[in-house]
Amino acid sequence: MHTFLYRGNALLTFAVTILAFMCAIASFTDKFNSASPLAQIKILNINWFQKTHGNDEVSLTMNVTADLQSLFTWNTKQVFVFVAAEYETRKNSFNQVSLWDAIIPSKENAKFSIHTSNKYRFVDQGTNLLGKKFNLTLHWHIMPKTGKMFADKIVMSGYRLPKEYR
């Protein structure tokens, strides 16, 4: 006869195996969600653009409008969203500066319009921002209850900084 501990171990192993299988199936179902998020970012004002300690620094006022409700499924715990300025310089082919971020805890909060200044400093090492074209990109990371994290973005181009400091 098998002991009580042996039977308990077999039952626990079986239960954990079934739980792992169910988590894998739940994570797989997220592949069938066709998300179609919408976003728009308007720069309302360049508050100041100056050279500080040999580096260019910019303060922007922007309006971030987004509908990210389609990112939420039954398996979504929360969505991390951030706006980044992306540009090229002679020294670096890709520069990315985070300007604003937020955590969206539920589908009800996923449709928003925020009027804000950049939460984080927009600083470039050196004086590379004068008259520079740049993109504003809305990035998101979907954090599921179980399974793999997904990330994507919407790139909005056509922004340019002034040719003179203000």
Side-chain angles (χ1 to χ4, degrees), residues 30 71-79 105 142-145:
D30 279 342
L71 300 177
F72 281 83
T73 65
W74 66 271
N75 191 30
T76 305
K77 180 177 181 181
Q78 63 187 14
V79 176
I142 303 170
M143 297 170 194
K145 294 175 184 168

Side-chain angles (χ1 to χ4, degrees), residues 25-44:
I25 294 295
S27 179
F28 180 71
T29 62
D30 279 342
K31 296 278 186 196
F32 300 112
N33 181 36
S34 59
S36 55
L38 302 171
Q40 182 179 13
I41 303 171
K42 290 183 184 175
I43 294 179
L44 303 175

Side-chain angles (χ1 to χ4, degrees), residues 118-141:
N118 44 312
K119 190 174 179 180
Y120 306 107
R121 296 175 57 192
F122 184 176
V123 177
D124 181 69
Q125 296 174 343
T127 56
N128 300 308
L129 294 180
L130 286 171
K132 180 64 67 182
K133 286 184 179 180
F134 67 100
N135 297 331
L136 289 177
T137 305
L138 182 78
H139 295 262
W140 60 85
H141 297 266

